[in-house]
């Protein structure tokens, strides 16, 4: 039994202990999304249209991640709608970022590993970079939308006499809390994944200009910033949809 299997079993056990048997449903959703990612990589290597494939897989991943996390139809429907709008909007932004930043391909730091390999593999690395940026933000967007909608729904259920102004106040407070933790999660995720690269830069005495212009670091930073923008947009949009639902239920009171 290798270390990955041990970690997987610990994850499954903790999911059951924390969430009961519903945790296994979330684990099953995670496995489905893993299969979807693997299938997408395979189809990309076979020459499938990148953008059509990315759109289809993004919708499926969001649907699995959101609808297998809750049984509340209002929460899941609003979260899914908001997440779709955010992801497809940021997909356009990712294409623009890739066009301006030219982040595709490999950097000079990869030279040693690529010396004996051929890069003539028939892939458009620019499209691959866009796929990486979009896929990287899916989880963060879905999580932020679900967290806000579920929290606001719970607040409304607990206080049946809540007015619209009170609802807006609660929406603002909860949005601040979710935004702070979600953004920090992305930042420390980037820091952890790039720590060895940063140490490489320091030990080789890279200048500040060389560090901030490194293709490897810029690609990770672009994905992180897109994720942060996605979180912010998802929180705003999902809160807006819940507010409209609240007005409809309470007649705009």
């Amino acid at each position: 039994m290798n270390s990955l299997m041990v970690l997987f079993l610990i994850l499954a056990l903790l999911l059951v202990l924390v969430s009961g048997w519903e945790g296994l449903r979330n684990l099953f959703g995670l496995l489905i999304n893993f299969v979807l990612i693997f299938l997408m990589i395979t189809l990309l290597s076979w020459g499938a249209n990148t953008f059509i494939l990315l759109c289809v897989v993004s919708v499926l991943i969001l649907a699995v991640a959101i609808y297998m996390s809750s049984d509340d139809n209002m929460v899941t429907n609003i979260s899914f709608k908001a997440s779709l709008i955010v992801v497809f909007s940021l997909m356009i932004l990712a294409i623009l970022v890739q066009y301006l930043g030219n982040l595709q391909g490999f950097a000079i730091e990869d030279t040693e590993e690529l010396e004996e390999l051929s890069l003539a593999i028939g892939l458009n690395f620019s499209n691959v970079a866009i796929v990486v940026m979009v896929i990287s933000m899916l989880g963060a967007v879905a999580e932020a939308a679900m967290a806000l909608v579920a929290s606001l729904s719970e607040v409304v259920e607990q206080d049946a006499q809540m007015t619209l102004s009170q609802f807006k106040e609660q929406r603002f407070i909860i949005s601040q809390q979710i935004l702070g933790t979600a953004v920090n999660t992305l930042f420390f995720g980037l820091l952890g994944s790039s720590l060895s690269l940063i140490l490489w830069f320091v030990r080789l005495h890279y200048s500040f200009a060389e560090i901030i212009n490194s293709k490897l670091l810029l690609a990770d930073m672009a994905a992180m910033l897109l994720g942060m923008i996605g979180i912010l947009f998802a929180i705003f949009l999902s809160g807006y949809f819940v507010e409209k639902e609240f007005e409809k239920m309470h007649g705009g009171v």
Side-chain angles (χ1 to χ4, degrees), residues 56-132:
V56 172
V57 171
S58 296
V59 172
L60 293 176
I61 289 176
L62 287 174
V64 171
I66 291 174
Y67 284 101
M68 295 195 72
S69 299
S70 175
D71 292 323
D72 191 320
N73 288 332
M74 191 193 80
V75 171
T76 51
N77 289 338
I78 292 178
S79 301
F80 185 63
K81 179 169 63 172
S83 298
L84 280 182
I85 296 173
V86 171
V87 167
F88 283 109
S89 299
L90 292 189
M91 195 178 296
I92 299 173
L93 183 57
I95 295 172
L96 178 62
V97 168
Q98 169 57 27
Y99 175 77
L100 296 176
N102 196 30
L103 304 175
Q104 80 275 6
F106 301 92
I108 57 174
E109 290 83 7
D110 297 314
T111 304
E112 184 177 347
E113 288 80 4
L114 297 173
E115 281 181 349
E116 300 179 0
L117 301 177
S118 172
L119 298 181
I121 58 176
L123 281 178
N124 186 326
F125 285 103
S126 179
N127 291 345
V128 172
I130 294 171
V131 170
V132 170

Side-chain angles (χ1 to χ4, degrees), residues 109 191 194-212 214 216-217:
E109 290 83 7
L191 187 63
S194 303
L195 186 59
S196 58
L197 179 63
I198 295 172
L199 289 174
W200 170 295
F201 292 157
V202 173
R203 292 297 298 271
L204 293 181
H205 306 290
Y206 275 46
S207 67
F208 180 72
E210 289 174 321
I211 292 176
I212 63 174
S214 168
L216 290 176
L217 188 60

Side-chain angles (χ1 to χ4, degrees), residues 1 7 14 28 55 62 86 88 114 123 155 183 192 222 234:
M1 182 180 293
L7 290 174
L14 290 176
F28 182 64
C55 291
L62 287 174
V86 171
F88 283 109
L114 297 173
L123 281 178
V155 168
V183 166

Side-chain angles (χ1 to χ4, degrees), residues 156-214:
V156 172
E157 288 180 7
Q158 293 294 327
D159 187 359
Q161 304 300 320
M162 179 180 290
T163 64
L164 182 58
S165 61
Q166 291 174 327
F167 175 85
K168 289 181 177 180
E169 182 180 350
Q170 289 298 318
R171 172 189 168 188
F172 180 73
I173 294 172
I174 295 173
S175 297
Q176 280 186 317
Q177 295 169 343
I178 294 175
L179 179 62
T181 55
V183 166
N184 277 308
T185 299
L186 282 182
F187 173 74
F188 287 111
L190 168 69
L191 187 63
S193 64
S194 303
L195 186 59
S196 58
L197 179 63
I198 295 172
L199 289 174
W200 170 295
F201 292 157
V202 173
R203 292 297 298 271
L204 293 181
H205 306 290
Y206 275 46
S207 67
F208 180 72
E210 289 174 321
I211 292 176
I212 63 174
N213 284 285
S214 168

Side-chain angles (χ1 to χ4, degrees), residues 35-51:
V35 172
L36 288 173
I37 293 293
F38 182 79
L39 181 62
M40 181 184 68
I41 294 172
T42 303
L43 292 175
L44 283 176
S45 68
W46 290 350
N49 185 286
T50 303
F51 297 105

